[in-house]
Each structure stands twice: as C-alpha cells, then as structure tokens.
Amino acid sequence: MKDKGLLIVLSGPSGVGKGTVRKAIFSEEDTNFEYSISMTTRLPREGEVNGVDYFFKSREEFESLIQQEKLLEYAEYVGNYYGTPVDYVRETLDSGKDVFLEIEVQGAQQVRKKFPDGLFIFLAPPSLSELENRIVTRGTESEDLIRNRMDEARKELEMMNLYDYVVENDKIELAVERIKAIVVAEHCRRERVQGRYIKMLEAGK
Amino acid sequence: MKDKGLLIVLSGPSGVGKGTVRKAIFSEEDTNFEYSISMTTRLPREGEVNGVDYFFKSREEFESLIQQEKLLEYAEYVGNYYGTPVDYVRETLDSGKDVFLEIEVQGAQQVRKKFPDGLFIFLAPPSLSELENRIVTRGTESEDLIRNRMDEARKELEMMNLYDYVVENDKIELAVERIKAIVVAEHCRRERVQGRYIKMLEAGK
C-alpha cells in the first residue's frame, strides 16, 4: 500500500546557485529524499568521483543511451552531454522514495512532459526582489541599468511558468528550509493523503 | 506592493486535538502568523482571560453581531455560540499578515465560501493510519471493531473533501512542523510569487 515517491525538480537560471543549494540540502542529516546523480561526457575534474559527483561516460556510450531512451532529460553544453538516467529515477520512485533532480531549465521542460505530477521548484536570484528596492529608490542607479534589470526580470518571470513553486535564493539556509518545507507540504496535500486512505479502505474490504 | 496575508484554517473532527496543536504552534517564537481569537457566549472558565482565550459576549451581543454580519463563521454548541469576528480577520490580512483560525468543521465550511483562496488544513486522527496496520494484521481485533473503524474512517475521508491539506496528529511536534511547512510552502507557490513580481514590474514602468 506504499505510495509512489515524489519527483522533486530543482531548476532555475544558470548561475543562480542550484548546485550550492542542492549540496546544502544533502549535507543535512534529516533529508529523506534521494539525489539522482547526473551523467556526463565531460572529463572528471580533480577530486570528482565517478558515481558520486557524476556518472562519467564516453560520447559513444551517452549517445547509445539517448537512442535507447534511457535518459529522462539531456542537453549539450560547451561540447559535452549532461543528462539524467531514467531507470534510477523510476525505480526509486516506485520504491516509495522521493527523488531529487537538480537540472537546467531546458532539462526541466523535458521532465515536465514525462512527469507532469512532479514537484517543480524554480530557484530565483535575489536580484529579482532587490529590483523592487531599486525601483522604489530610483536615482541611485541609472535608468538604463534599471531598465536592463527589468528586462532580465521579465525573462525570469516567463521561465517560471512551468514551475509549481518559486524559492528565492537570498540566503542558502533559507532556500534550503523553504525547499524542505515544500516537500513536507506536498506530502500533506489532501488528494495524496486521501488517495492513500482510500486504497487502504479498499484493501480492507 | 505588499501582498495580502494568507488565511490559514485549521479544522478537523472534534476531539482530534486542534486546540492543543494550535497552542503548540503559538508557543513557538518563530511563528509569524496572527491568531484570530474566537468569540463565545459561554462563561469564562477559571483562568480564562477575555481577549486572550476568547472574547466573552452576552447572547444578545452575539446575536446582534450575527445580524450585522460581523462574524466570518459561527455555530451553536451545547447552548452556546462560538464564532470568528470578521473585522479582525480582514484587517490583518489586508495589512499583509497571515491569520490563523482554529475552528470546527461546520465553521470551516462557512469560511470556505467566503475565502475560497484560504489555506484549509484538516487535522486527522492517527486512528486513521493505525487502521492500516489493523487491516493488515487482522485477527488481533474483531471483524466488527475493524468494520466500525472503517465506517468512521470513511466519514472522515468525506469531511476532508473541503480541505487543501491533511495533517495527521500522530505527534503534536510533528503536526506543528507540518503545518508550519505548509504555510512556508504556500508562500512560495508560483502564482503568488509571480504575481508579486509582476506588480513590481508594473510599478517600475
């Protein structure tokens, strides 16, 4: 009668600090979801361990996995592939555990199509809310600078459309706390809890 | 540019421990929502303070408030009225603060009609999930007892329909933690955050 786990997807604009937040989440002892390790064709950097930081693969291996549809999402950056192996994700979710992905926005779009019920969290740069102060206290910065920032903000707002939640990365500890709260809350959603009880009553008949 | 506060409604079957959980929430220092004190026509019990535990009113005063539509919800129990003064709730929400109500299920139904966007949390008795073990390990209890409990569970499942979240009151600390997580998560919902940013950009034009 065990429920399937939740697929938690953390994404956001590049440079927002997704990796740092993800590492902070998994450095805490009470984190009870599983991190899905990405696969890449880039060479390991010093200190990086295969199966811990990434699964390191050759280009041929990676392309063969793409053709076998063994990747939940993938993308090419600066000549290297990055992707999420799908089997691990499906097996872990089936076992009732939550799976956590930290991926780029393009990847998140691919995952949304395959897992519409996933929990999609957008990590937003603090510049977005700092913009508010800048707008209010105009004069300290040039109109051009403010206008550029507003254009950027508009693009980020557009990106958010795919997501269920937006977490501002103002302070890492706060971002971590919010992400963990979102996961706890999501497990308490009525449809989810009620569904479990209904299955339980069916089983008891 | 301040957002309206969230209306948080904690309810559930009588005897589930709503009052205990509410007191535990407000005994914590980092709780940043306001408790809406109920109004009642029953006499103060020893140690109860007017304006702290309840607003104590005469029957005439209470009925006059009902007629003036000054109550967000009310009900009569064992010959006494209990209700929520609406002005405090509206003013506090308008000031951007979250308001917390702890009320009976009938009251929650009335509030849902007036505040469809409220955050409705159902506090569920642990007996519901304990039932699962009982069903699985049949034999230790009579079939009649199990069947009665299942009937009760069905009623509780029906009650839940109105709510957004279900929190099991297995341990007070856990229930408190879940409720606080739900409030944090709700503030991160994309529509809410995006709406705030959009207003901000509008203001910056």
Side-chain angles (χ1 to χ4, degrees):
Chain A
M1 274 187 261
K2 204 158 183 140
D3 252 19
K4 272 200 176 191
L6 270 176
L7 180 64
I8 306 153
V9 179
L10 181 69
S11 192
S14 57
V16 74
K18 297 187 286 291
T20 314
V21 168
R22 183 253 301 165
K23 276 179 203 145
I25 288 174
F26 284 93
S27 73
E28 298 199 1
E29 280 183 10
D30 63 340
T31 299
N32 51 4
F33 31 87
E34 309 289 315
Y35 175 53
S36 161
I37 299 159
S38 292
M39 199 173 270
T40 184
T41 58
R42 83 154 163 74
L43 294 173
R45 292 185 192 136
E46 209 179 309
E48 283 186 341
V49 177
N50 188 30
V52 175
D53 299 287
Y54 282 99
F55 294 111
F56 295 101
K57 298 280 171 186
S58 71
R59 221 176 152 78
E60 293 66 40
E61 287 173 310
F62 202 103
E63 284 174 349
S64 152
L65 290 167
I66 294 173
Q67 290 191 326
Q68 293 169 60
E69 302 192 343
K70 289 289 191 192
L71 295 169
L72 179 55
E73 56 84 30
Y74 73 94
E76 206 173 352
Y77 297 104
V78 218
N80 285 307
Y81 284 122
Y82 294 81
T84 303
V86 71
D87 288 348
Y88 173 81
V89 171
R90 291 208 188 272
E91 284 160 18
T92 313
L93 293 176
D94 285 345
S95 78
K97 283 184 200 142
D98 297 342
V99 176
F100 187 95
L101 306 184
E102 176 242 309
I103 53 179
E104 301 298 325
V105 284
Q106 298 87 331
Q109 282 169 349
Q110 297 174 44
V111 179
R112 187 56 133 177
K113 280 177 197 148
K114 291 174 189 163
F115 285 90
D117 293 343
L119 185 55
F120 287 74
I121 303 172
F122 185 87
L123 196 66
S127 61
L128 206 52
S129 68
E130 277 163 20
L131 192 59
E132 183 167 358
N133 300 325
R134 293 205 171 103
I135 290 170
V136 173
T137 60
R138 270 175 203 258
T140 54
E141 282 180 32
S142 79
E143 281 291 312
D144 269 6
L145 199 64
I146 289 178
R147 212 142 289 278
N148 281 346
R149 292 239 171 85
M150 280 174 69
D151 286 342
E152 250 175 65
R154 272 189 204 98
K155 276 181 215 149
E156 277 154 10
L157 278 170
E158 190 105 349
M159 274 191 205
M160 284 179 199
N161 284 333
L162 173 93
Y163 296 81
D164 304 301
Y165 294 93
V166 176
V167 166
E168 196 185 314
N169 192 16
D170 45 356
K171 277 191 184 166
I172 295 168
E173 317 84 75
L174 289 177
V176 168
E177 198 188 289
R178 290 173 197 135
I179 291 166
K180 291 171 83 174
I182 289 168
V183 176
V184 168
E186 205 64 20
H187 278 285
C188 295
R189 288 191 75 83
R190 193 249 304 160
E191 302 87 335
R192 178 168 272 265
V193 179
Q194 220 176 14
R196 194 168 69 236
Y197 286 136
I198 288 167
K199 263 192 243 168
M200 179 182 95
L201 288 175
E202 289 295 315
K205 262 184 193 163
Chain B
M1 278 186 258
K2 205 157 180 134
D3 251 20
K4 271 199 176 191
L6 270 176
L7 180 65
I8 306 153
V9 179
L10 181 69
S11 191
S14 57
V16 73
K18 297 187 287 292
T20 314
V21 168
R22 184 254 303 166
K23 277 178 202 146
I25 289 174
F26 284 93
S27 73
E28 298 199 1
E29 280 182 10
D30 64 340
T31 298
N32 50 4
F33 30 87
E34 309 289 314
Y35 176 53
S36 161
I37 300 160
S38 291
M39 199 173 268
T40 184
T41 58
R42 82 153 163 73
L43 294 173
R45 292 185 193 137
E46 208 179 310
E48 282 185 342
V49 178
N50 188 28
V52 175
D53 298 287
Y54 281 100
F55 294 111
F56 296 102
K57 298 279 169 184
S58 71
R59 222 178 151 77
E60 293 66 39
E61 286 173 311
F62 203 104
E63 284 173 349
S64 151
L65 290 167
I66 294 174
Q67 289 190 326
Q68 293 169 59
E69 300 190 347
K70 289 288 190 194
L71 294 169
L72 178 55
E73 57 84 31
Y74 72 96
E76 206 171 353
Y77 297 103
V78 216
N80 285 306
Y81 283 121
Y82 294 82
T84 303
V86 72
D87 287 348
Y88 173 82
V89 171
R90 291 206 188 272
E91 285 159 16
T92 312
L93 293 176
D94 285 345
S95 79
K97 283 185 202 142
D98 297 341
V99 176
F100 187 96
L101 306 183
E102 177 242 310
I103 52 179
E104 301 298 325
V105 285
Q106 299 88 330
Q109 283 169 348
Q110 296 175 45
V111 179
R112 188 55 134 176
K113 282 178 197 149
K114 291 175 190 163
F115 285 89
D117 293 342
L119 184 55
F120 287 74
I121 304 171
F122 186 87
L123 195 66
S127 60
L128 207 53
S129 67
E130 277 164 21
L131 191 59
E132 183 168 358
N133 299 327
R134 292 203 173 104
I135 290 169
V136 173
T137 59
R138 269 174 204 260
T140 54
E141 283 181 30
S142 79
E143 280 291 311
D144 269 6
L145 199 64
I146 291 178
R147 212 141 288 277
N148 280 345
R149 292 236 170 89
M150 282 174 68
D151 286 343
E152 248 173 67
R154 272 189 204 98
K155 276 180 214 150
E156 278 156 9
L157 278 171
E158 189 105 352
M159 273 192 205
M160 285 180 198
N161 284 333
L162 172 93
Y163 296 82
D164 305 299
Y165 294 94
V166 177
V167 166
E168 197 185 314
N169 191 15
D170 44 358
K171 277 191 185 167
I172 294 168
E173 317 86 76
L174 289 177
V176 168
E177 198 188 289
R178 289 174 199 137
I179 291 166
K180 291 172 81 173
I182 289 168
V183 176
V184 169
E186 204 64 21
H187 278 285
C188 296
R189 288 190 76 82
R190 193 248 305 160
E191 302 87 334
R192 179 167 273 266
V193 179
Q194 221 176 12
R196 194 168 69 236
Y197 287 135
I198 288 168
K199 262 192 244 167
M200 180 183 94
L201 288 175
E202 289 294 316
K205 265 185 193 164

